[in-house]
Amino acid sequence: MVFQKDYEFPPSDEIMMKVAQNVGYPKTAFVQAVDDEGDFDVDVRFAKPALAHGFCGHATIALFGFLRNNKIIENGCKYRMRTTVLKENSAKPQLAIIPITFVEDFVEMEQNLPIFYSIRDPLSFNARIAQSLEIPVEFLYGTVEIINTGGKDAIVALKEKENLDIIKLTTEICDNITKVSKEHNIVGFHLFPLNSMSYSWDKDAKGKLNVNVIGVRNFAPLEGFPEEAATGSASGAMACFITKNILCLLYTSDAADE
């Protein structure tokens, strides 16, 4: 994290990417706290070694955890973060306000409502995704979707965790993923195995359903990291995929049985 106080904010794309390259992590956050009353409380830009102004969910959570732990902001409050997100009709990220809430020492981040992009030929797109990963198309569950909740990702569901574990990110596969990512203007591929997903219809105290997924992988060689250890924005898109394509179908089926 790089805090900006007495310098022009945000830094140029070149400076942010250079710092990100030197730091060597998937995401670097550039932060400026806003003291006066305005539309936002914290101004943030995220940079990767090969990209500036991207949206990043898990780095947002880490950033606000750091600010809270160092008493720069208070616990139990709501904050407004200004950062860049990819909007529906824009090829470049645009400024937006993201609400952040501290609840019982947990950081909660709201993401944009999902944008589901239409794919002209879903079967051919499935085949293209499978070919780029060098796996049989039969490994895929349903149709691969491109979803945007701040960052635009291809959400790829596989039937078995073993199907996902065998994927080895060779140079050729990374080149394939990069080519598809450029063609569809996406960050990369977010993959999860269907047989490692668990859920319960019992809602928690806030009326939310709990869904757990084990063994998720995220491939984004276009942005300088073949495989990311964690991603928040793509996880939000994955949750939307699961809700639309799995939970809604299960709920409808269970209701019909009753």
Side-chain angles (χ1 to χ4, degrees):
M1 299 173 192
V2 181
F3 289 85
Q4 298 282 127
K5 187 176 181 181
D6 299 322
Y7 302 94
E8 182 180 351
F9 188 88
S12 68
D13 292 5
E14 291 74 17
I15 289 176
M16 287 196 289
M17 288 189 291
K18 186 64 175 178
V19 171
Q21 292 165 10
N22 290 335
V23 169
Y25 287 100
K27 308 289 191 308
T28 300
F30 296 80
V31 187
Q32 183 180 58
V34 179
D35 297 325
D36 56 342
E37 293 294 330
D39 296 330
F40 53 94
D41 304 300
V42 181
D43 210 6
V44 183
R45 301 293 184 276
F46 296 104
K48 305 176 183 181
L51 178 73
H53 294 294
F55 175 65
C56 184
H58 69 282
T60 296
I61 301 301
L63 166 63
F64 276 84
F66 175 87
L67 295 176
R68 189 272 316 271
N69 291 342
N70 287 273
K71 304 186 185 304
I72 299 172
I73 59 177
E74 296 181 5
N75 195 12
C77 297
K78 292 185 177 181
Y79 294 92
R80 298 157 300 170
M81 178 183 73
R82 187 173 76 163
T83 191
T84 52
V85 301
L86 188 64
K87 297 186 177 181
E88 182 172 9
N89 297 316
S90 176
K92 295 182 179 180
Q94 306 292 320
L95 287 171
I97 305 298
I98 305 295
I100 307 292
T101 306
F102 284 102
V103 180
E104 298 176 355
D105 293 329
F106 285 93
V107 183
E108 292 187 354
M109 176 191 69
E110 293 185 23
Q111 293 190 28
N112 290 345
L113 291 174
I115 301 167
F116 295 88
Y117 293 87
S118 60
I119 297 173
R120 182 175 301 177
D121 188 343
L123 292 179
S124 294
F125 189 56
N126 266 28
R128 182 76 186 284
I129 295 293
Q131 183 181 34
S132 68
L133 296 170
E134 297 183 359
I135 59 174
V137 71
E138 291 79 16
F139 283 7
L140 304 182
Y141 168 83
T143 302
V144 176
E145 292 212 47
I146 295 177
I147 305 175
N148 175 3
T149 58
K152 191 176 176 184
D153 295 272
I155 307 301
V156 185
L158 289 96
K159 297 174 183 176
E160 306 283 341
K161 187 174 182 299
E162 293 77 7
N163 302 156
L164 183 53
D165 292 341
I166 65 171
I167 298 175
K168 307 298 182 184
L169 287 184
T170 62
T171 300
E172 183 177 359
I173 288 179
C174 286
D175 290 343
N176 294 339
I177 296 171
T178 296
K179 186 175 181 179
V180 175
S181 299
K182 288 180 177 178
E183 290 174 359
H184 294 273
N185 190 32
I186 59 177
V187 175
F189 298 178
H190 192 71
L191 305 92
F192 74 97
L194 188 66
N195 70 335
S196 71
M197 188 190 83
S198 61
Y199 67 94
S200 171
W201 293 124
D202 297 328
K203 297 180 180 179
D204 62 18
K206 298 178 184 177
K208 298 178 181 178
L209 297 176
N210 290 314
V211 178
N212 296 310
V213 184
I214 299 173
V216 176
R217 299 179 69 182
N218 187 270
F219 304 149
L222 176 62
E223 299 198 329
F225 278 84
E227 182 165 2
E228 292 217 46
T231 173
S233 56
S235 292
M238 179 184 69
C240 296
F241 178 98
I242 290 172
T243 300
K244 175 189 173 186
N245 297 293
I246 301 173
L247 294 184
C248 284
L249 295 178
L250 290 172
Y251 184 81
T252 302
S253 177
D254 289 349
D257 291 340
E258 293 178 1

